[in-house]
Structure formats: structure tokens, C-alpha cells
Amino acid sequence: MPGWLARLPERAYLSGEPEAWLSTERPLVMVLDQRRASEASRALLGHEGIHEHVPLFAATSLAPLQEAGPWAVRLEPGSDAWRVGEALCRERRLGWCCQPLPTTDGDDLIAHLQGLFVWADPHGGQSLVNLQDPAALTALLAGAEPATLADVLGPFGELATPTPLGQWQAWQCPEPNDALDASRRLTVDMEAALKEAPQAWFLAERQGIRLDEVDAIWLEGLAVLNRHGITRARHLESLLPYVQQMAWRESEESRKILDSDQPAWRKVKALRKRMEMLQAQDRDTYAWTM
């Protein structure tokens, strides 16, 4: 299992209903990927309980992308706006939320958020992190060194992200350590985690398991299909048994199919036919040995 997935149980815990960690006395800040659901996001702003919304790319170097950028929405816990926004985050993976401490200045929190979208990367350049996506934020927090984790989480107070199983998980902030390097840059491990996150989320969601239960072999199997042009969710879903069997995908027959010049849908059809044949052979072998 990749290290970032193995660290998840140490850094975040399933919190059950939001009421288990929410205080009804402090406003919430919800970060929404409004680009992926612009109509639903605009409708949310009309519900009771909204204090303000801030386009997070405004007045930053990412301002040209503002129309497609995420929002920070400040709202009241328990309000109609919270009920609708919570469902958008948990059911549609459209965002996450935090509940800052009363001592946290609102403008400082927004500035902290805005500083988390662009990171120095291991290649000497800069990378845009889709922080509004719970899968990306989960990978970032799970893959970070402890000092970086404390630096990112500190101003948020209580921070919670949805999971592939439609639950909430709350993150635990480690004690800051001035002796450790908390510079804002992606490590090789963090970059790898961000690349693996969509595949890990897909597998956990389709298999009905926790992220930390996703097998590295499955991740590699999905990556192999992606590298050979098979990227549509319905195609990948139909090949899940194939993804989980390393011997199947490493066979000479499978490599020939993947390396061929066929369009993706033909590769999927050929792989499914081969998968069904191998499944039948396995059933016959089991019946013979009983």
C-alpha cells in the first residue's frame, strides 16, 4: 500500500455525523468546486444561513481562472445552507469544510487558503493543486511531512473532508515543531499521492472500501489501463476484476491487446473477453479440485 494511504488512519478519523465535531456557536467555511456544479453552487447562495462567498482566485496570480475557480462560503452550522452544502460535498465530492477558531481572522484564513493552490514542485517548477477536490486535499494532507501538515492545518481549526463511502473524516493537526522544515513545497511522495488520488478514490468508491484498504496492485492495474488510453469510468468499472489480477494483465496476450493500435473501446472489449475466459478457467479448476 502506498505510504500516503497507510498514513490515513493515523491522521484522520471517521467522524460520523457532522454534529460529532461541529460547534453550533461558530460559523463554518466551506470550500466548493463550483466549476463542476455551477448551477447547484449558485443555488446554494440563495439558501438561509449564508454569510458571504469569496471567489478564491480573485486578487491572486490565478485571477484569469477566477470564473472556473473555487469558492469559500461562510455559513451557519445547522442552517438550510449547511444542509444543502453538506450534501453537495459528501454525495458529489464537490468540496469540504472547516470550522476556524474564534481567534482566527477571516481575511487571514482566506489568505491562507489562497496560498495553498500553487506549490513549488520537485522539478524546480510550480504545480497547481486542485485543493477544492476532497480527493486532492486528502492526498496532500496524507502525503505531507508532519511539519507541512501542521502548517497547512493550523489556521483551519476543525477540518473535515468527505470520503468515497459518503462519510466525513476529521483531520488531526500535529503539534507544530519549529525544528522541522515546514516550507511550502511538494515532495516526491506528495506529488505521487496527488497523481494516485483519483484512481484510489475511484477504486474505493466502486469497491465499497476505505481508502486505506485500496491495494497497491489495483492502483498499478488502473494506471496501466490509463497509460494505454482506457480512461472512461464505465470502461474501467467493467474491468475491475482484471485490474485486481496482476497475473492477468501481465500476460503476453494482455500486453498485445494493450499495445495494439485499436481504439480504447476495442481494447476494452478484447480485455473483457479475455477476462471472462480466465474467470471460466478458474471456475473449472476450482470445480475439478473439489
Side-chain angles (χ1 to χ4, degrees), residues 129-163:
V129 175
N130 292 321
L131 199 74
Q132 66 274 24
D133 182 349
L137 180 61
T138 297
L140 186 80
L141 297 178
E145 295 297 322
T148 304
L149 179 65
D151 176 58
V152 171
L153 288 179
F156 288 128
E158 299 286 346
L159 183 144
T161 54
T163 74

Side-chain angles (χ1 to χ4, degrees), residues 202 222 225 229-243 263-269 271-272 275:
F202 174 87
L222 211 57
L225 296 181
I230 302 173
T231 57
R232 291 190 177 182
R234 62 187 178 88
H235 287 161
L236 296 171
E237 191 167 359
S238 72
L239 291 172
L240 280 179
Y242 178 87
V243 164
W265 69 270
R266 286 191 179 276
K267 292 182 182 180
V268 171
K269 185 176 181 180
L271 289 173
R272 288 187 62 183
M275 182 179 72

Side-chain angles (χ1 to χ4, degrees), residues 18 31 46 136 152 177 212 234 270:
V31 175
V152 171
N177 187 332
D212 60 286
R234 62 187 178 88

Side-chain angles (χ1 to χ4, degrees), residues 50-100:
I50 295 289
H51 286 231
E52 65 174 337
H53 92 280
V54 179
L56 285 170
F57 287 175
T60 73
S61 61
L62 298 172
L65 305 176
Q66 179 177 327
E67 289 299 317
W71 291 348
V73 181
R74 195 162 70 93
L75 46 78
E76 284 296 321
S79 66
D80 192 44
W82 160 249
R83 179 184 58 80
V84 174
E86 187 271 341
L88 287 176
C89 293
R90 179 174 46 80
E91 297 173 4
R92 298 175 61 179
R93 204 181 99 184
L94 288 180
W96 48 271
C97 62
C98 67
Q99 191 165 49

Side-chain angles (χ1 to χ4, degrees), residues 141-271:
L141 297 178
E145 295 297 322
T148 304
L149 179 65
D151 176 58
V152 171
L153 288 179
F156 288 128
E158 299 286 346
L159 183 144
T161 54
T163 74
L165 299 183
Q167 300 167 308
W168 284 98
Q169 62 183 2
W171 290 83
Q172 303 180 83
C173 184
E175 289 295 326
N177 187 332
D178 294 338
L180 298 177
D181 180 12
S183 55
R184 200 72 58 77
R185 64 171 181 269
L186 296 180
T187 63
V188 172
D189 288 344
M190 291 170 73
E191 188 178 56
L194 286 166
K195 289 178 179 178
E196 290 173 345
Q199 289 84 2
W201 195 283
F202 174 87
L203 288 166
E205 191 174 52
R206 297 310 193 276
Q207 297 293 99
I209 59 177
R210 300 191 313 269
L211 277 170
D212 60 286
E213 295 176 322
V214 172
D215 196 297
I217 290 175
W218 306 349
L219 279 172
E220 176 55 28
L222 211 57
V224 167
L225 296 181
N226 290 169
R227 287 197 296 270
H228 287 86
I230 302 173
T231 57
R232 291 190 177 182
R234 62 187 178 88
H235 287 161
L236 296 171
E237 191 167 359
S238 72
L239 291 172
L240 280 179
Y242 178 87
V243 164
Q244 294 171 297
Q245 293 287 344
M246 185 166 60
W248 292 2
R249 69 171 187 267
E250 290 187 347
S251 67
E252 184 177 352
E253 292 84 354
S254 294
R255 287 199 297 270
K256 285 181 179 178
I257 294 170
L258 290 171
D259 290 336
S260 68
D261 293 331
Q262 302 178 86
W265 69 270
R266 286 191 179 276
K267 292 182 182 180
V268 171
K269 185 176 181 180
L271 289 173

Side-chain angles (χ1 to χ4, degrees), residues 33-43 71 88 92 94:
D33 187 0
Q34 61 85 25
R35 178 188 59 84
R36 289 179 48 224
S38 56
E39 186 174 333
S41 298
R42 285 195 299 270
W71 291 348
L88 287 176
R92 298 175 61 179
L94 288 180

